[in-house]
Amino acid sequence: MKIWTCIVCGFVYDEAKGLPEDGIAPGTRWADIPADWACPDCGVAKADFEMQETPAA
Amino acid sequence: MTPIVIAGSGLAGLAVAREFRRLDAATPVVVVTADDGVSYSKPMLSNALAAGRTAAQLASADAVQVAAQLGIELRPWTRIAAIDRDARLLRLATGTLAYGRLVLALGADPRRPVLAGDGADAVLTVNDLAGYAVFRAALAGARRVAILGAGLIGCEFANDLAATGLGVDVVDIAPHPLGRLLPPRAAAALRQALDATGVAWHLGRTPRAVHRRADGHRLIVELDHGPAIETDLVLSAIGLAPRIALAAAAGLATGRGIRTDRLLRSSDPAIFALGDCAEVEGLSLPFVMPLMTCARALARTLAGTPTPVAYPAMPVVVKTPALPVVVSPPPAAAQGAWQEDDTADGIAARFVGADDTLHGFALVGAAAVARKAALAREVPAWL
């Protein structure tokens, strides 16, 4: 399980936690999130702004 | 082919270029920018000190890399003197640049406080990456920083600076931090959380002057009443003024920002505007999510499919780790009242109309913030 950080606003996506509010189940890998998904905090597209891979704590 | 010219290489300008390229690989795109054309995230500037990030680390790509990645021409250090709408060209310091369609993504200037005193010229602002570099360098050796303005950027900087161990004073005419966004109890909770990080508040006060101390090393901020503040640095964060002068000089309709319709067209159908410089159907929203929404719609319009922009309610995330805040401000015309409820670690406030419509909300603390997405779905679309 990995953690990804939005480089525009700092939003953190934790694969272990998912985003149940956004319809993304816990354990969903970054690669399995739809390409048209956008950052829930700032709206930046998944495809167009890289997320930084950081090691899980 | 006459290019699409984009004026400005901030988040808005580059987002339009990127989204347009996904739809149209052929039409030439030229981005002109007054600065170095380095790509960076402006929202990160008020959140980068505690993380120890330098300006260089915040830069994600330089002008050459951006141009290559997006398949565009990017002209750094290029100021636009005037727009010649009849000839459809920009007048630059060196020559002219013809456009088929022009996109104004000019951003906004920080509003400057009116201050007397021999230290007024020492007041800094952080409105771009270069400003961040200057501010970070000026912090070397500083022990205290005074922030003018307790709005979103002021509170974010207060939290970030306090987290680095600096003493922070915050001055605002309003009685609460985030006074224009938060109802009283939510604002009080944020104030207490920042108190605990060492922020000292000077609320209900107006700065009058900044003086240099006789020894030349420190600054004194004189207020309209109450004790003066002795500090090493003064940072002004009292708001933004959309950059409208170029558009106004060209005869385009302007209000608070450059006025556009839902197609993001200005009063000249060949000229579009988005981002912090724009006023879209009366809405001037200097945040990332609205500009990304606009960039996607405008890219489709420029690629041949006229696409009116639609704004759902777009809550604003305030980056104050001491106490997270999310606000969906009620529209100016909304009638109703705030209802503030306690949560485990903060306040969940709802702005509710007479017919029980949820027009906006303010969430303070992690427990309340977790309800953001669910509440946002209840709020009627803004546009």
Side-chain angles (χ1 to χ4, degrees), chain B residues 248-262:
Chain B
L252 299 177
T254 58
R256 176 170 161 72
I258 300 165
R259 287 199 166 131
T260 81
D261 61 14
R262 285 184 65 174

Side-chain angles (χ1 to χ4, degrees), chain B residues 149-166:
Chain B
L152 187 147
I153 299 297
C155 284
E156 290 188 352
F157 266 113
N159 198 157
D160 201 36
L161 287 160
T164 69
L166 288 160

Side-chain angles (χ1 to χ4, degrees), chain A residues 5-11 20-23 35-50 52, chain B residues 11 15 18-19 22 39 41-44 47 53 60 288-290 292 296 315 317 319 369-374 377:
Chain A
T5 308
C6 171
I7 65 165
V8 168
C9 75
F11 176 82
E21 278 201 328
D22 221 21
D36 63 355
W37 181 83
C39 173
D41 276 5
C42 77
V44 169
K46 179 190 177 191
D48 298 326
F49 277 83
E50 289 174 19
Q52 291 174 340
Chain B
L11 281 170
R18 185 178 290 108
E19 294 290 338
R22 296 172 66 184
S39 171
S41 166
K42 185 174 176 186
M44 287 296 209
N47 213 26
R53 301 179 78 184
S60 58
V288 179
M289 194 173 277
M292 288 294 162
R296 289 189 187 107
V317 177
K319 293 189 288 294
V369 164
R371 298 166 59 188
K372 177 186 83 159
R377 283 192 284 272

